[in-house]
Amino acid sequence: MNLRLSLPLILVLIIVPQSIQGSDLKTFLNTLSPKSPYSFVFPLSGNVFPLGYYSVSLQIGNPPKDFTFDVDTGSDLTWVQCDAPCSGCTVRTELQYKPKSNTVPCSDPICSALHWPKKPECQNPKDQCDYEIEYADQGSSIGALVVDQFSLKLLDGSSLVPRLAFGCGYDQHFLSAHPPPATVGVLGLGKGKISILTQLVSAGLTRNVLGHCLSSKGGGFLFFGDNVIPSTGVSWTTLVSPGFDSRWERLFTMLGFPTKSNHYTTGPAELLYNGKPTGLSGLKLIFDSGSTYTYFNSKTYQAIVNLIGNDLKGKPLKDVKEDKTLAICWKGATPLKSVLEAKNLFKTLTINFKNGRTNSQLQIPPESYLIVSKTGNVCLGILNGSEVGLHDSNVIGDISMQGTMVIYDNEKQQLGWVSADCDKLPK
């Protein structure tokens, strides 16, 4: 079970498509507009249970080498376990990234961007640019910033080979209660300017839009750019910063100033159960692909548990305490093989976003908040965020985004969603 919300962490890189060199470079850069038509699509692997994460494979270096990353919209920095050498690394040395005198010096503007609003702590401007990132599940990575080329496939099948900044992590820590994914690093896709997407946008190579489609069968796809977004059927709500008025959020974003948080936060919203009001409103929600499950603050969580518990009275499911897969599990007359066998015993949760005079609703059906454990019990994939240090925050995790294309539009400061077949890659 993963919960990858980072502590909040600017950057301009010259990124050049493959085969464009010499005098062609100036011509190419002059033809780029801030709204480039390029879109990137990446197949995903993984699932909510039993793996607990979705991952993407990216090629880095020359010659290119494959690295798998945990896809995380809850943090900004991309980092990979690094043979520098490495302490606390979870993969074999041959699978780690090997730096080749490509560390970023402390005096580089990229380093200042990484540490903003603080200044990098370095005694010598030529010292390497260090980083340290911590997550809500108390995992962490320490390392140095490096620059290398990424081989990225475009939607049309062609490739670009930009040079991007990322972390070379040589000291990792994971709590035993939260075993790390079997990946080499984390792909940070938050709104901060150190993220891979923002670097591509800064060079004019794509729109400041990303999204993912997580399949309940496992796998799915991730995309940068807006060419794969359906022209109709998408519901939208405004992105805001926690505790920050959305009008000021948009103004500060246009002016290029960072706001309080780089998380993708929506709100306010009210919660419905079986289409009926629950009395729970004013909820702000963080959409985080690095979190396996969905978390609500203690008050909201307990209300959901009570509603579901009352609804199950007289039905053929009983509480089972010995199953420790998740906090709450139920046992049927016979072991279950699929959530679909029990979904009719549960009701749909609905998040109702109030956008001025209009409302938009995100449906969370039972199959998007339940799992079936290895012993055949059905378990609640909604957890108490207050018990894991999230305080009053609410997090929509992978389980509740399955079967849905979720779109993070940083240009218009909005989040969208639409039902989709996540088993098919866009063309």
Side-chain angles (χ1 to χ4, degrees):
M1 177 171 62
N2 298 303
L3 178 57
R4 291 199 177 279
L5 286 177
S6 76
L7 300 176
L9 277 181
I10 307 182
L11 153 79
V12 176
L13 291 176
I14 299 300
I15 303 175
V16 185
Q18 189 175 27
S19 78
I20 297 181
Q21 303 176 5
S23 60
D24 293 333
L25 175 59
K26 183 176 181 180
T27 302
F28 168 75
L29 291 175
N30 288 337
T31 62
L32 286 177
S33 70
K35 297 183 178 180
S36 169
Y38 292 132
S39 285
F40 305 83
V41 177
F42 312 93
L44 296 178
S45 301
N47 53 53
V48 169
F49 186 83
L51 278 180
Y53 62 90
Y54 288 84
S55 63
V56 63
S57 180
L58 298 177
Q59 292 186 324
I60 305 176
N62 185 19
K65 180 179 178 179
D66 288 329
F67 296 91
T68 56
F69 293 87
D70 188 2
V71 177
D72 185 20
T73 58
S75 63
D76 303 325
L77 179 67
T78 292
W79 60 267
V80 61
Q81 296 183 40
C82 196
D83 182 18
C86 191
S87 171
C89 277
T90 58
V91 297
R92 301 188 310 273
T93 301
E94 60 267 27
L95 298 178
Q96 298 169 17
Y97 176 81
K98 184 71 174 178
K100 300 177 180 178
S101 302
N102 56 336
T103 54
V104 174
C106 198
S107 58
D108 196 296
I110 299 173
C111 188
S112 298
L114 171 67
H115 290 277
W116 194 92
K118 297 181 179 180
K119 293 183 179 181
E121 295 182 3
C122 49
Q123 297 179 346
N124 189 316
K126 295 182 180 181
D127 289 345
Q128 67 184 23
C129 177
D130 295 322
Y131 78 85
E132 180 174 0
I133 186 168
E134 298 179 1
Y135 298 96
D137 62 7
Q138 297 183 20
S140 66
S141 175
I142 296 174
L145 208 61
V146 296
V147 175
D148 208 339
Q149 68 180 37
F150 283 62
S151 300
L152 304 177
K153 284 192 176 181
L154 296 169
L155 183 60
D156 63 8
S158 61
S159 297
L160 297 182
V161 188
R163 291 180 62 81
L164 302 170
F166 61 100
C168 173
Y170 50 76
D171 189 356
Q172 273 62 246
H173 290 277
F174 304 97
L175 289 184
S176 58
H178 300 286
T183 53
V184 186
V186 172
L187 179 64
L189 296 174
K191 295 192 291 182
K193 294 190 176 181
I194 196 65
S195 79
I196 293 296
L197 174 63
T198 307
Q199 295 182 50
L200 293 171
V201 172
S202 296
L205 294 180
T206 191
R207 301 285 293 270
N208 200 353
V209 178
L210 71 109
H212 52 69
C213 201
L214 309 178
S215 173
S216 59
K217 300 176 183 178
F221 60 88
L222 167 74
F223 64 89
F224 300 160
D226 62 355
N227 290 346
V228 305
I229 300 173
S231 57
T232 60
V234 180
S235 298
W236 298 95
T237 191
T238 303
L239 284 170
V240 299
S241 285
F244 211 77
D245 185 278
S246 60
R247 293 168 296 177
W248 291 105
E249 165 85 9
R250 289 192 291 270
L251 174 60
F252 274 58
T253 299
M254 287 188 294
L255 293 175
F257 296 112
T259 49
K260 184 178 180 180
S261 170
N262 288 329
H263 300 143
Y264 294 103
T265 305
T266 62
E270 64 175 334
L271 187 69
L272 310 180
Y273 181 75
N274 196 25
K276 300 177 182 178
T278 62
L280 298 165
S281 60
L283 301 175
K284 291 186 177 181
L285 302 120
I286 298 170
F287 282 70
D288 178 22
S289 67
S291 296
T292 309
Y293 298 108
T294 289
Y295 295 79
F296 284 103
N297 63 54
S298 185
K299 178 183 177 181
T300 305
Y301 169 78
Q302 197 57 56
I304 292 172
V305 169
N306 292 341
L307 286 165
I308 293 175
N310 291 334
D311 214 34
L312 288 177
K313 290 179 179 179
K315 294 181 179 179
L317 287 178
K318 304 300 179 184
D319 288 347
V320 54
K321 302 297 184 183
E322 57 267 26
D323 192 333
K324 304 299 182 182
T325 303
L326 290 173
I328 298 177
C329 295
W330 301 273
K331 186 176 184 179
T334 59
L336 301 174
K337 295 181 179 179
S338 167
V339 168
L340 300 180
E341 297 177 51
K343 64 172 291 186
N344 292 334
L345 301 177
F346 295 83
K347 301 293 192 298
T348 294
L349 290 167
T350 302
I351 299 173
N352 185 42
F353 297 97
K354 296 183 178 180
N355 303 307
R357 296 181 179 179
T358 63
N359 290 355
S360 53
Q361 294 188 338
L362 173 63
Q363 306 284 340
I364 305 179
E367 58 267 35
S368 293
Y369 65 77
L370 299 171
I371 66 163
V372 170
S373 70
K374 293 180 179 179
T375 54
N377 300 316
V378 60
C379 300
L380 181 63
I382 296 174
L383 305 176
N384 188 341
S386 301
E387 292 183 350
V388 294
L390 292 178
H391 305 293
D392 202 42
S393 297
N394 306 289
V395 176
I396 302 299
D398 292 344
I399 191 170
S400 300
M401 295 190 281
Q402 295 175 104
T404 302
M405 179 185 287
V406 179
I407 306 152
Y408 308 82
D409 188 335
N410 291 304
E411 293 187 0
K412 297 180 180 178
Q413 285 299 299
Q414 60 183 4
L415 181 136
W417 62 90
V418 61
S419 294
D421 183 354
C422 300
D423 299 312
K424 294 182 179 180
L425 285 177
K427 296 181 179 179

